[in-house]
Amino acid sequence: MADTADFLGHAAAELARIEADGLTKRERQITGPQGGRIRVGGQGRINLCANNYLGLADHPALKRAAIEAMETHGYGMASVRFICGTQDLHRRLEQRLAGWLGHDDSILFASCFDANGALFEPLLGPEDAIISDALNHASIIDGIRLCKARRYRYANSDMAELEARLVEARADGARFILIATDGVFSMDGYLAKLPEIRALADRHGALVMVDDCHATGILGPKGAGTPAQLGARVDLLTGTLGKALGGALGGYIAGPQPVIDLLRQRARPYLFSNALPPAIVAAALAAIDLVEAAEDLRAALARKTGYWRTGLAEAGFELLPGAHPIVPVMLGEARMAQAMAEALDRRGVHVAGFFFPVVPRGQARIRTQMNAAIDMADLDTALDAFRAAGRETGAIR
Ligand SMILES: *Cc1c(COP(=O)(O)O)cnc(C)c1O
């Protein structure tokens, strides 16, 4: 009979295998606020791996809103929403998000991971179908697993395969069909083909759900995300407060009134998990006010992204094509990504190597992410560091 000692030995062996495969992720401690420049181990670094696209993570207006809300509304809620955890601020944020993003209403969660975990199970049953892009975020995959609907998958943005799955789901007798996709695929920076997806959904009587975590605040007029950028209506939209909107935490689902109302009755992470604290909610309201009007920041972000992409490509790095501020530098094996991250760290540039299981084996990369608040001079310094580190590790000649 296996005992606790065997179990701990099993965990240690698993860890040793992760280490032997070069897949161990190590956390470096930042001593200070998130930003275009950070402090790591007492030293300054240029930071190229935060989801802090508009540079709002340390913005004075957000900090002020959070502090004021703590004074007027307290620190914590100590309740889920339906017992005694709903303040005026929560409803204001839900309605503000919905108005901004063009939906009837929205519902808040502790994270977008929870929002995606909450969405599918209450809305769809065994007689329904979900068709999911193969590159969707882990939280969509997990959310679909929690739901009894039949599951179908199509290769990333393969519209012919999506249509085949729609036909298949109909032939299997599906009542409702929901297509689920990221708006921006987070490892690659590719945008979903929303107009084509919408047209296919309409042709086959399906609904469209988009997770716009890497687009809200960044893409489209007023930063309203991929549906606004690409001119496509979507039925359900999920997103995060943890990226461009100040980077703290929180997630939401926006959509038609009866769907949001039903989720409020049935979504398990909503019913059984604590309400967001007032400071976060108030700062998110301030963030939306800033972001909606921030065409200047979005223009700066696009300009810097173009400069950064061109510089890396001219240095000889292999990039994935695109225009999103996610700029992945493709390096092949995990060890190369780790060696590059380490060589860049020694040169004062903070990046993270991404490798299995976050991306497929053999497609390790450094995912750089542009930020409207990074100085042009720092971008030049970082390009010099990439060239030197690339030559040192053999990633470029
Ligand atoms: C970051 C991200 C999430 C998770 O959001 P959190 O609010 O951090 O839980 C979900 N989906 C996508 C596509 C993401 O990029």
Side-chain angles (χ1 to χ4, degrees), residues 51 110-114 116 137 139 182 184 186 211 213-214 239-243 250-251:
N51 298 316
S111 68
C112 188
F113 203 105
D114 271 356
N116 288 335
H137 191 263
S139 54
D182 284 9
V184 173
S186 50
D211 171 347
C213 280
H214 283 283
T240 183
L241 307 177
K243 290 181 173 128

